[in-house]
Amino acid sequence: MEANLASAPGETAAGSSPQLELPRKTPLERLLSIITDVRAGEGLGAVLLTADLTVLLGGYYLLKTVRESLILAQGGAEVKAYSSAAQAILLFGVVPIYGWIATRMNRNQLLRWTSLFFASNLLLFAYLGSRGIREAVPYFIWVGIFNVFTVAQLWAFATDLYTEAQGKRLFPMLGVGASIGAVGGAWIAGKLIKPLGPYDVMLIAAGALCVCAALSRWASHVISEREGEREQKKNVETLGKEGGFQLLISDPYLRLIAVLTILLNIVSLSGDFIVGKLVVNHANEIVGSSKQLLAARGAYIGAYYANYYAWTNLVSFVIQAFLVSRIFKYIGVRGSLFILPVFSFATFGAILVHPILSVVRDLKIAENGTNYSLQNTVRNALLLPTSREAKYKAKAAIETFCVRLGDVLQAGIIFVGTRLHASITWFATITLGFTVLWILVAGALYGQHCQESQEC
């Protein structure tokens, strides 16, 4: 049985014979216990996975800042929303291909080759963009696919390496790594986007992906060696033949997670659209709206979003580092399902009253910070009691197709609202309705999780 606490040398129970000394925590593990409950022997593996997420999210926020600069300068908020919808159409074909590949590679090969494939894509984007090709829309679509695939795959890898009990304890720490990467990536992007330009930033992110491939392999080796033959066997096993969509259709628990993901994305994107509209209007007022000022407008928007992401991710880091593990301890994964939708309801209610950039910006920073920390950890922890196929294939389908299906639905709302010349308060009102539905789905998922985890 895994030791829960370290014992002092020679420590015995009163009136009993001497017992074997339990494993001691290393200084690193005692330090990590400030964030969450790290047991003896878990420290190095958890640090490697945390570092992996740090580098991956850091690279993503470099690319995300480049994405916002290109798409808003070359297209605008509406084009950004419609480009998000196009991702879902592509993912309907990409998800089955990913499932087919996952049945023919073990988990280490899958992570390594996926990272290297996306890194090679960045080299191509940087080459074409540096030669004056306008690639904002295809690059925007690519970043959306890259983000959900790579981040979802790494979290799936973590759920596969850890038991459900370990995941509930260690995932808050992994989330801290993701938050650090996001904060660092946004800060670095703000410093580099102007002097280097978008295409050199892409090359830096490509290097980060290569580092991620190495960290994943190292973490797998360390954790598998500690956990013994059961985990070592998973390193060479491939997954079953069931596809991601097939698993979603057949399992009510996975279906509810999918629906919750769609609703979450609709609500989140509504806020992002409102921010985008207000930022573009603000940039036009400050810089000007003529074609001759396209580059200057793009630089201004890029710098604004770098600051916006930096603050969002700082809030996310504080929540992740100091609150998530405590929230999990006291109300659990299931209880945590309700925190973000209730917060979102309050946010969009406030937007109805004060739809101005400074107010909306601060509200979205707080809401997105909660989403990227607590809610993201909850979504990954929900997959802990499921099968390996669900962790990789169903999660890939949820985090890619279902996320982008939310984009499609939100794009439809934007299309209708734009044609009707709807105001920002109109969009906020519609989103409040989706938020109520989100809360109801969270209630149904609460009951299903009880059955899956056998805790009720």
Side-chain angles (χ1 to χ4, degrees), residues 61-82:
Y61 270 88
L62 291 176
L63 299 174
K64 188 173 183 179
T65 301
V66 171
R67 181 192 73 178
E68 300 300 332
S69 176
L70 293 178
I71 195 68
L72 289 176
Q74 297 180 15
E78 286 80 8
V79 173
K80 175 182 174 180
Y82 301 148

Side-chain angles (χ1 to χ4, degrees), residues 104-356:
R104 286 159 176 78
M105 291 184 179
N106 62 50
R107 63 188 182 186
N108 293 323
Q109 294 170 331
L110 186 64
L111 265 73
R112 180 169 63 251
W113 288 111
T114 300
S115 297
L116 295 178
F117 170 75
F118 281 119
S120 69
N121 295 167
L122 283 171
L123 298 180
L124 180 60
F125 275 120
Y127 174 79
L128 295 175
S130 64
R131 277 151 182 77
I133 296 176
R134 293 170 66 93
E135 56 184 12
V137 172
Y139 176 72
F140 184 94
I141 294 171
W142 179 89
V143 170
I145 295 174
F146 155 79
N147 170 40
V148 291
F149 257 116
T150 56
V151 176
Q153 183 176 252
L154 186 51
W155 276 106
F157 184 56
T159 62
D160 196 21
L161 286 168
Y162 290 130
T163 64
E164 184 175 359
Q166 287 176 314
K168 289 179 179 178
R169 290 187 292 102
L170 298 176
F171 275 17
M173 176 182 160
L174 271 59
V176 170
S179 295
I180 292 173
V183 172
W187 182 82
I188 293 171
K191 299 297 182 181
L192 297 182
I193 189 72
K194 288 184 178 180
L196 296 184
Y199 307 113
D200 284 346
V201 173
M202 289 182 188
L203 297 178
I204 295 172
L209 287 178
C210 295
V211 173
C212 288
L215 286 171
S216 297
R217 182 67 186 89
W218 190 6
S220 177
H221 173 74
V222 170
I223 296 173
S224 297
E225 286 295 316
R226 177 185 183 274
E227 296 298 324
E229 183 178 351
R230 175 179 59 86
E231 283 301 323
Q232 293 172 17
K233 188 176 180 181
K234 289 182 183 179
N235 282 332
V236 297
E237 287 181 339
T238 57
L239 302 177
K241 295 182 178 180
E242 299 92 337
F245 291 128
Q246 181 181 352
L247 290 166
L248 291 184
I249 293 171
S250 61
D251 190 325
Y253 179 66
L254 295 175
R255 286 200 302 272
L256 282 172
I257 296 176
V259 173
L260 181 138
T261 301
I262 292 169
L263 293 171
L264 185 157
N265 217 43
I266 291 173
V267 173
S268 178
L269 283 176
S270 292
D272 291 342
F273 172 75
I274 291 171
V275 171
K277 287 286 290 182
L278 294 174
V279 168
V280 170
N281 292 339
H282 183 65
N284 289 339
E285 293 174 0
I286 299 298
V287 179
S289 57
S290 67
K291 292 183 179 180
Q292 291 79 7
L293 297 172
L294 177 64
R297 192 163 63 251
Y300 181 88
I301 292 171
Y304 187 95
Y305 267 96
N307 177 269
Y308 174 78
Y309 290 141
W311 277 105
T312 297
N313 292 315
L314 179 60
V315 171
S316 173
F317 171 77
V318 171
I319 295 172
Q320 187 72 56
F322 301 107
L323 296 180
V324 174
S325 64
R326 277 81 177 174
I327 292 170
F328 273 21
K329 180 178 179 180
Y330 290 107
I331 67 174
V333 173
R334 291 188 296 276
S336 302
L337 282 167
F338 298 96
I339 293 177
L340 182 61
V342 170
F343 192 98
S344 296
F345 187 89
T347 297
F348 284 95
I351 290 174
L352 289 175
V353 180
H354 297 290
I356 57 177

Side-chain angles (χ1 to χ4, degrees), residues 37-59:
D37 182 12
V38 179
R39 308 285 171 82
E42 295 177 338
L44 179 57
V47 165
L48 290 171
L49 281 177
T50 301
D52 202 352
L53 278 162
T54 299
V55 175
L56 179 59
L57 268 294

